[in-house]
């Protein structure tokens, strides 16, 4: 069977789909990964065929545009990236789709695949890396306490702006084939009629009445890549030299975190903890950091967090999942995109502190962090959720679902 997996965003957005692709390849399928040219080498090293959907230069333009932008501006740039990917993704499936021998899976904003499904009958599983993409009026964490009519009004406003740009691009593309126009393309049309996969567990974001039918929630598809080639010598030397450190990370596309890391150093000092700082942008840290703290551009989280005391980070969904799996407390400082929503969904689990960037001040946070780390109740809950993750096999469940979908067989869903 020919399996096409697409991941169009940042490294954090791409990694879960690489894991799905590798799982399908391990089951004997012919797998091709469609994505961002920036990550070609990374993906091909993992034994996967690769096809470019987003050129490296286009992705770099997107990353550069994020620097210093507001949340609304960042979302606008994300919309432009979605539009840029429509035609190349559609054309790929137009050329490579073989009825009865093909199945596809990727992000819900891979609109070109949805167009190919509508046009050719491509078996397609739409994946939602973050719960917010389900766009439910029953789960709007920042305003959950608002009356329903106000939340529906917010959704209508969002639909209006989405349809003005992204929705128009979809309808214009459909019109080339004489297909009729539809309203609220980003609310209704883009929902695959066959299968929806939420890439998180039910206890993290329970299903809502207005979610699409044919939905499954297999859990977090954490990477199963082999990182044997990553040299842990320096990291292990630091870890072995003292008690478990605090780990501080920021988004790989953020270059505006100088204050975050400066404050992080002070937090570690105030709480008398060692620390590790992770960012691909070393210029964000001071020229000299204390001797009991270390900077690394990258360390696989699965190798690091089990030996950490707590994890302080930006609230990306993959980072949250890795921290839950490690069974340690976390402090989230979300900035853009899905991060605020992810962190608010983490709150009910009572294993974290969720802060706005302006609240991230060492003098106030240090005592709260100390209480979080020392709490027996928090430790117990962290271990409980780590145990739940350990007992599931999301990648196998996703693979079995895609195989059933390709064969035209019924899939086990929530609805």
């Amino acid at each position: 069977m020919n399996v096409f997996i697409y991941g169009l965003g940042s490294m954090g957005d791409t990694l879960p789909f690489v894991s799905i692709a590798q799982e399908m390849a391990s089951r004997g399928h012919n797998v091709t990964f469609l994505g961002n040219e920036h990550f070609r080498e990374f993906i091909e090293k993992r034994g996967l065929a690769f096809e470019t959907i987003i050129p490296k230069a286009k992705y770099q333009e997107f990353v550069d545009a994020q620097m210093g932008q507001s949340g609304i501006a960042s979302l606008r740039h994300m919309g432009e990236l979605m539009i840029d990917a429509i035609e190349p993704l559609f054309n790929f499936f137009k050329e490579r789709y073989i009825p009865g021998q093909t199945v596809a899976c990727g992000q819900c904003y891979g609109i070109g695949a949805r167009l190919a499904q509508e046009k050719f009958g491509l078996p397609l599983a739409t994946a939602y890396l973050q719960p917010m993409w389900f766009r439910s009026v029953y789960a709007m964490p920042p305003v959950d306490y608002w009356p329903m009519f106000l939340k529906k009004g917010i959704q209508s406003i969002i639909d209006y702006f989405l349809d003005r740009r992204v929705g128009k691009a979809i309808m214009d593309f459909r019109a080339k084939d004489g297909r009729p126009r539809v309203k609220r393309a980003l609310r209704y049309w883009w929902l695959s009629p066959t299968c929806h996969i939420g890439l998180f567990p039910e206890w993290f974001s329970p299903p809502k009445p207005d979610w699409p039918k044919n939905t499954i929630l297999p859990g977090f598809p954490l990477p199963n890549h082999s990182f044997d080639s990553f040299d842990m010598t320096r990291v292990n030397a630091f870890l072995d030299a003292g008690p478990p450190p605090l780990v501080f990370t920021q988004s790989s596309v953020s270059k505006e975190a100088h204050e975050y890391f400066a404050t992080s150093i002070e937090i570690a000092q105030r709480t008398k903890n060692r620390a590790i700082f992770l960012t691909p942008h070393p210029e964000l840290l001071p020229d000299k950091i204390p001797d009991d703290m270390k900077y690394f551009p990258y360390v696989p989280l699965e190798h690091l967090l089990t030996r950490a005391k707590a994890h302080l980070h930006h609230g990306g969904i993959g980072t949250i999942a890795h921290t839950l799996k490690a069974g340690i407390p976390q402090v989230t400082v979300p900035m853009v995109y899905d991060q605020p929503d992810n962190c608010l969904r983490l709150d009910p689990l009572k294993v974290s502190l969720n802060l706005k960037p302006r609240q991230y001040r060492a003098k106030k946070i240090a005592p709260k962090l100390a209480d979080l780390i020392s709490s027996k109740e928090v430790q117990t809950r962290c271990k409980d959720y780590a145990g739940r993750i350990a007992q599931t096999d999301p990648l196998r469940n996703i693979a079995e679902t895609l195989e059933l979908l390709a064969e035209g067989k019924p899939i086990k869903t929530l609805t």
Side-chain angles (χ1 to χ4, degrees):
M1 180 170 63
N2 296 317
V3 180
F4 300 113
I5 307 295
Y6 51 94
L8 307 177
S10 66
M11 176 62 88
D13 284 355
T14 299
L15 278 173
F17 295 98
V18 175
S19 296
I20 295 170
Q22 287 185 296
E23 178 70 17
M24 295 302 289
S26 73
R27 298 167 76 94
H29 301 299
N30 180 26
V31 180
T32 301
F33 194 94
L34 320 176
N36 186 329
E37 176 70 21
H38 185 78
F39 304 123
R40 172 186 286 275
E41 182 180 358
F42 174 86
I43 291 166
E44 289 183 338
K45 280 184 177 179
R46 277 139 189 88
L48 299 170
F50 181 87
E51 292 284 344
T52 297
I53 299 299
I54 298 175
K56 185 180 293 187
K58 180 64 67 175
Y59 177 69
Q60 191 58 52
E61 287 177 13
F62 165 71
V63 172
D64 291 343
Q66 305 312 297
M67 302 308 122
Q69 294 286 344
S70 67
I72 299 242
S74 295
L75 288 172
R76 184 174 65 251
H77 291 302
M78 184 66 194
E80 295 301 320
L81 199 67
M82 291 167 60
I83 293 170
D84 288 338
I86 290 176
E87 188 165 359
L89 197 57
F90 175 84
N91 287 340
F92 177 88
F93 287 116
K94 180 180 179 180
E95 296 173 3
R96 299 285 291 273
Y97 171 54
I98 302 174
Q101 300 179 38
T102 309
V103 67
C105 175
Q107 289 140 315
C108 53
Y109 51 83
I111 297 166
R114 174 70 181 95
L115 285 160
Q117 180 189 51
E118 180 185 55
K119 178 73 173 178
F120 310 117
L122 170 72
L124 174 66
T126 302
Y128 302 75
L129 188 56
Q130 302 93 348
M132 79 168 196
W133 283 106
F134 278 107
R135 299 193 58 213
S136 170
V137 295
Y138 297 94
M140 300 174 68
V143 294
D144 264 347
Y145 59 92
W146 285 17
M148 184 61 71
F149 78 92
L150 286 178
K151 292 192 286 187
K152 289 182 178 179
I154 290 174
Q155 289 281 29
S156 295
I157 292 171
I158 293 172
D159 289 338
Y160 171 76
F161 284 104
L162 287 174
D163 278 345
R164 283 184 64 187
R165 185 71 181 101
V166 181
K168 182 180 183 301
I170 294 171
M171 293 305 104
D172 289 348
F173 195 91
R174 293 176 80 249
K176 294 178 182 178
D177 291 330
R179 285 177 267 180
R181 303 184 74 84
V182 297
K183 292 183 178 180
R184 296 192 175 184
L186 270 294
R187 171 73 72 88
Y188 303 116
W189 172 86
W190 80 337
L191 299 177
S192 167
T194 51
C195 179
H196 300 265
I197 305 176
L199 301 181
F200 45 84
E202 187 171 345
W203 48 261
F204 183 76
S205 183
K208 302 301 178 185
D210 54 351
W211 279 18
K213 295 181 187 272
N214 302 322
T215 294
I216 68 169
L217 298 179
F220 297 118
L222 293 170
N224 61 357
H225 319 129
S226 171
F227 286 102
D228 292 341
S229 61
F230 183 84
D231 187 355
M232 287 287 293
T233 303
R234 291 179 58 236
V235 181
N236 286 334
F238 179 77
L239 292 170
D240 293 341
L246 301 176
V247 173
F248 297 87
T249 61
Q250 255 300 329
S251 169
S252 62
V253 298
S254 173
K255 294 183 182 177
E256 301 297 323
H258 299 84
E259 186 176 352
Y260 173 83
F261 283 112
T263 301
S264 298
I265 290 173
E266 187 178 350
I267 288 173
Q269 290 174 322
R270 283 179 176 269
T271 57
K272 295 181 170 55
N273 278 294
R274 303 194 312 146
I276 286 179
F277 305 102
L278 301 181
T279 174
H281 310 294
E283 67 274 12
L284 295 177
L285 280 89
D287 292 336
K288 182 173 175 55
I289 61 176
D291 292 339
D292 60 349
M293 303 180 192
K294 290 291 182 183
Y295 155 74
F296 298 98
Y298 171 77
V299 179
L301 292 180
E302 58 266 44
H303 290 351
L304 175 61
L305 294 184
T306 54
R307 300 190 63 183
K309 185 174 291 186
H311 190 193
L312 295 84
H313 59 86
H314 56 287
I317 192 70
T319 307
I320 286 175
H322 274 294
T323 310
L324 287 168
K325 182 180 180 182
I328 60 174
Q330 48 193 306
V331 176
T332 57
V333 190
M335 295 185 181
V336 295
Y337 294 134
D338 57 298
Q339 296 167 8
D341 185 90
N342 296 337
C343 298
L344 287 170
R345 294 174 196 268
L346 186 62
D347 282 351
L349 307 186
K350 297 182 178 179
V351 295
S352 65
L353 294 175
N354 180 24
L355 308 168
K356 294 181 174 63
R358 67 175 181 271
Q359 297 173 318
Y360 195 63
R361 299 292 179 265
K363 186 175 181 179
K364 292 185 176 181
I365 300 309
K368 294 181 180 180
L369 175 61
D371 289 343
L372 182 75
I373 292 171
S374 63
S375 169
K376 297 297 183 183
E377 291 80 6
V378 170
Q379 292 176 15
T380 298
R381 285 192 288 269
C382 286
K383 291 179 181 177
D384 173 58
Y385 289 114
R388 296 191 195 191
I389 292 174
Q391 292 169 9
T392 61
D393 192 348
L395 291 171
R396 186 196 67 191
N397 292 339
I398 293 169
E400 291 175 351
T401 297
L402 294 181
E403 289 169 344
L404 291 172
L405 185 64
E407 297 167 5
K409 296 179 180 179
I411 58 176
K412 184 179 180 181
T413 63
L414 296 171
T415 57

